[in-house]
């Protein structure tokens, strides 16, 4: 049996605007650098030992037309000046034999910083609950982040977030954020 377990992943984001919804999405994919791939969305697990690499390194590993697995968040709006965001949160355990988590979050009216913090909190909370780290879910992200780091079980949390306001002329605006897996 052959297993398809990625060894690397990279984070990317993009934004696009156009009169056609689909074209605004395509332009966001181009801005993110992943338009040439056949994207397959997957759920939120970072495989054990999967290394986070730079976008530039990751893009070099992709071939046009390649079936490419990604955790993706996207959002679109046609309403002028409406703020949208798409974010991916990342939580990596310190034990390289354990799996990590990715989270997707998209919102309206939320700043990029707030959306990113929320996505990062989601991923870290999912990982913390599987590891039995005690915490108060009502605490804000900064407090929980300190608890998670102090446990020594979560080594890295981060996020990638794209936000934009709807075009003044009423065109579609699409934002996306993605964690892209590569062999």
């Amino acid at each position: 049996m052959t297993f398809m377990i990625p060894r690397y992943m990279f984070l990317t984001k993009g934004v696009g605007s156009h009169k056609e919804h689909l074209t605004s999405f395509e332009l966001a994919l181009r801005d993110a650098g992943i338009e040439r791939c056949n994207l397959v969305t997957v759920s939120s697990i970072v495989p054990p030992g999967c290394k986070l690499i730079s976008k530039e390194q990751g893009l070099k590993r992709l071939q046009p037309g390649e079936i490419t697995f990604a955790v993706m968040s996207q959002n679109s709006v046609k309403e002028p000046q409406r703020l949208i965001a798409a974010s991916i949160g990342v939580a990596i355990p310190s034990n390289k034999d354990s799996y990590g988590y990715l989270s997707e979050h998209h919102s309206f009216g939320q700043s990029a910083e707030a959306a990113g913090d929320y996505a990062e909190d989601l991923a870290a909370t999912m990982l913390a609950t599987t590891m039995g780290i005690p915490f108060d879910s009502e605490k804000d992200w900064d407090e929980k982040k300190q608890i998670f780091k102090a446990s020594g079980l979560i080594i890295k949390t981060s996020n990638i977030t794209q936000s934009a306001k709807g075009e003044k002329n009423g065109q579609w605006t699409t934002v996306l954020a993605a964690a892209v897996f590569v062999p």
Side-chain angles (χ1 to χ4, degrees):
M1 181 182 290
T2 302
F3 295 101
M4 296 180 4
I5 300 175
R7 296 181 51 216
Y8 304 98
M9 73 172 182
F10 68 92
L11 304 176
T12 188
K13 64 182 182 174
V15 62
S17 294
H18 195 272
K19 69 178 182 169
E20 297 294 333
H21 186 235
L22 180 60
T23 306
S24 75
F25 176 65
E26 167 68 15
L27 293 172
L29 289 171
R30 287 180 189 179
D31 191 37
I34 54 176
E35 78 286 353
R36 62 191 172 130
C37 300
N38 287 307
L39 296 168
V40 177
T41 56
V42 294
S43 63
S44 55
I45 300 300
V46 178
C50 186
K51 184 179 176 186
L52 183 61
I53 60 175
S54 72
K55 175 183 171 182
E56 293 73 25
Q57 290 173 309
L59 291 175
K60 287 179 186 176
R61 294 174 177 269
L62 298 177
Q63 300 296 317
E66 181 177 350
I67 294 174
T68 305
F69 297 98
V71 175
M72 193 162 43
S73 174
Q74 69 183 68
N75 203 355
S76 297
V77 68
K78 194 174 181 179
E79 186 178 330
Q81 297 300 306
R82 185 154 192 205
L83 180 63
I84 57 174
S87 186
I88 297 290
V90 182
I92 305 293
S94 56
N95 180 349
K96 292 185 190 293
D97 294 328
S98 297
Y99 60 88
Y101 273 94
L102 298 164
S103 67
E104 315 91 57
H105 173 65
H106 59 272
S107 62
F108 294 92
Q110 192 174 40
S111 71
E113 182 179 4
D117 283 351
Y118 188 84
E120 194 171 332
D121 184 359
L122 283 172
T125 298
M126 288 188 292
L127 181 56
T129 58
T130 65
M131 301 177 104
I133 300 172
F135 66 95
D136 180 354
S137 62
E138 298 301 315
K139 298 281 186 190
D140 73 9
W141 170 230
D142 289 332
E143 291 178 76
K144 286 193 282 187
K145 191 176 200 176
Q146 294 308 313
I147 293 167
F148 297 161
K149 299 265 184 195
S151 75
L153 299 174
I154 298 177
I155 191 168
K156 179 178 179 62
T157 65
S158 63
N159 72 78
I160 188 160
T161 304
Q162 179 69 62
S163 67
K165 287 185 178 179
E167 291 289 322
K168 290 179 184 176
N169 61 7
Q171 290 188 339
W172 282 101
T173 300
T174 298
V175 293
L176 70 87
V180 181
F181 293 107
V182 290

